[in-house]
Amino acid sequence: MNKNKLMLWLSSLTVGIVLIVMVLHQQFNFLHAYSMAHHGVELSMPLFILKWTFFALPLLLLFMSFILYKLNKQHSALPIVFTLTLTFASIAIIAMGNGLVEYHFSVFMVIAMVSFLGSVRMVLLSTGIFAVHHLLGYFLFPQLICGSHEYHFSLLMIHAVFLLFTSGANIVLIMQRNDEVKAEESERDRLLAEERQSIVATFDKTMESLQNTAEELVASSSQSHTAIEHTRTSITDLTTTIALQVEDLELSEKEMRALSEKLSTVTELAIESKTKAREVSENAMSGKELMINTQQQFEKSASSVNRLAMTIESYQKQVQQVDVLAQQINGIANQTKLLSLNASIEASRAGEHGRGFAVVAKEVSNLAEASDATATTIQTQIGQIVGDANKMLEEMKDVLNELQQSNTYMNDSEETFASITSDTIDTTKLLEQSTEHTIQVDTSSKSTLKNLDRITALLKENQQTASAIMAHAEEQVMNVKRTAQLAHVLKELAKDMAFSSDEIRNA
């Protein structure tokens, strides 16, 4: 940390003590009872204004020191401003502390801080300000110096004596330190003179070495330049050849990649066709089985229709038997009517004795008529049933003929499906063989493409290596050129060193 920065911190610290003392005494009435008991003096308005003037003055000086430090950290006015800030800060501490004697110790603290500047004039300036402040203050405003009018002048003189002793001690230390600095500077000048003579001798040796080194560098750079030019020419030819090979391989790689993509597409289509052919073959086999099942079902249906026709014929015979029974019932009913009529005639002849028999004969006549009506209805229904049965029988014969024709068609379809299934199986086998060959060709194409990629990558690496070697050769050429320039600079430096050596000798 430089001196001015440290002084800025010390000044800020001292002004901070001023603020602390002001807050303690003005806001919290620190030691107010003690001051009133021993002094008991209230400040007049002029002294009150002077007290706060002493408080404001170090604040303004500290603000000025910050501005100067901001403008130039080595400003020539900073030592004076720091001295005034510290001095008036001590005066403000005494004033804001109601003149208590204990705050006078801040004077010695400030003298020690000012001594750090290493200037006798700054110590004298601060001491003079303190002396004038104490002497004039004792007569003009003793309340701000000693806290009361009753403070003895001899005690104040004791303060002045110790202030002078402190300042004198610090001045002696500063002067002694300055003498030591001058002695150190004189010794440093002597050592510098001896070192200068040593440097002159070293310059002479270094100059000769530089001249020899420069000549060797010129010869070596010339040989290196020739060798590097030959190497660069060879690398250029190699780079051109590799570039042409890379272009040819990249073109072949593009064509092979396009062929590989087409083969991949063909392979995908072949695999898809193989899958579709298997599905078609499976569907054909399912269709063949379905046709067989359908044919079997048709045969079962034809058998069922035949059995149904036989059942209907049997049903017709049974109905005809029922018709015969109905005719017999009709005959019986007619005979019953004749018997009933005869019974009625006989009952009428019998008179009173045949009246009950006449009622029975009447009921028997009614029953015969009902039986006759029922038999007639049965005959009518049987006639309708026989007609419907005949129609059903004719329709069943037609259905049976259609089933026989369908069976013939199913046999033809079965043969066709068998032929389709056989052809589909053969086609599926051919597609599987074609797919296997296509996959093998696609695999070979991809393997060839990978080999081309590896060869292209290797050639590109060789091309990059050749480019790196070429760049390194260019860099070596530049290094050789810089070496030649350095050799020239070394020659010029040797001349300058010789001239400097002469000036040092003459100095």
Side-chain angles (χ1 to χ4, degrees), residues 250-268:
E250 286 179 348
L251 181 60
S252 300
E253 184 181 0
K254 289 180 180 178
E255 295 176 353
M256 196 65 192
R257 196 177 298 279
L259 178 60
S260 178
E261 292 176 357
K262 293 179 180 179
L263 284 173
S264 298
T265 304
V266 171
T267 302
E268 293 175 358

Side-chain angles (χ1 to χ4, degrees), residues 304-306 308-309 312 391-401:
S304 298
V305 170
N306 287 325
L308 181 60
I312 292 172
K391 291 180 181 179
M392 289 178 61
L393 188 59
E394 294 294 330
E395 290 178 356
M396 291 301 295
K397 289 180 180 180
D398 294 336
V399 170
L400 186 60
N401 292 329

Side-chain angles (χ1 to χ4, degrees), residues 358-408:
V359 172
V360 172
K362 186 178 181 179
E363 291 296 329
V364 170
S365 177
N366 291 336
L367 179 61
E369 289 178 357
S371 297
D372 187 27
T374 301
T376 303
T377 302
I378 290 172
Q379 286 178 343
T380 303
Q381 294 292 329
I382 287 172
Q384 291 179 357
I385 291 171
V386 170
D388 293 338
N390 290 328
K391 291 180 181 179
M392 289 178 61
L393 188 59
E394 294 294 330
E395 290 178 356
M396 291 301 295
K397 289 180 180 180
D398 294 336
V399 170
L400 186 60
N401 292 329
E402 291 178 356
L403 285 174
Q404 290 177 353
Q405 291 178 359
S406 298
N407 191 18
T408 303

Side-chain angles (χ1 to χ4, degrees), residues 5-20:
K5 186 175 183 180
L6 179 60
M7 290 303 298
L8 187 63
W9 279 102
L10 292 175
S11 300
S12 301
L13 176 63
T14 307
V15 174
I17 294 174
V18 174
L19 294 174
I20 292 171

Side-chain angles (χ1 to χ4, degrees), residues 272-284 424 428 431-432:
E272 185 177 359
S273 299
K274 176 183 176 181
T275 304
K276 294 293 183 182
R278 286 180 179 176
E279 293 178 356
V280 171
S281 178
E282 292 174 357
N283 292 331
T424 303
T428 303
L431 282 173
E432 289 178 351

Side-chain angles (χ1 to χ4, degrees), residues 231-243:
T231 303
R232 186 170 64 173
T233 303
S234 300
I235 294 173
T236 302
D237 296 337
L238 178 61
T239 303
T240 304
T241 303
I242 292 175

Side-chain angles (χ1 to χ4, degrees), residues 131-255:
V132 172
H133 167 258
H134 280 65
L135 184 62
L136 293 179
Y138 182 80
F139 295 104
L140 298 177
F141 42 90
Q143 294 91 338
L144 299 180
I145 297 298
C146 304
S148 69
H149 295 282
E150 300 176 357
Y151 199 78
H152 293 286
F153 184 74
S154 58
L155 294 176
L156 185 65
M157 288 298 100
I158 292 174
H159 290 185
V161 169
F162 281 106
L163 173 62
L164 293 175
F165 283 163
T166 301
S167 300
N170 282 281
I171 290 171
V172 171
L173 290 174
I174 292 171
M175 292 177 66
Q176 182 179 1
R177 182 168 176 269
N178 290 337
D179 291 338
E180 290 176 354
V181 170
K182 289 179 180 179
E184 290 176 357
E185 289 179 352
S186 177
E187 181 65 19
R188 186 177 59 188
D189 292 338
R190 185 184 65 79
L191 294 174
L192 285 174
E194 293 178 356
E195 187 175 359
R196 182 172 58 188
Q197 296 296 329
S198 176
I199 290 172
V200 169
T202 304
F203 265 6
D204 293 335
K205 293 180 180 179
T206 304
M207 181 177 61
E208 293 178 0
S209 178
L210 284 175
Q211 288 178 348
N212 296 329
T213 303
E215 292 176 356
E216 292 177 358
L217 284 174
V218 169
S220 177
S221 62
S222 177
Q223 295 175 358
S224 299
H225 182 71
T226 303
I228 291 172
E229 285 294 335
H230 289 299
T231 303
R232 186 170 64 173
T233 303
S234 300
I235 294 173
T236 302
D237 296 337
L238 178 61
T239 303
T240 304
T241 303
I242 292 175
L244 293 175
Q245 291 178 353
V246 169
E247 290 178 359
D248 293 338
L249 281 174
E250 286 179 348
L251 181 60
S252 300
E253 184 181 0
K254 289 180 180 178
E255 295 176 353

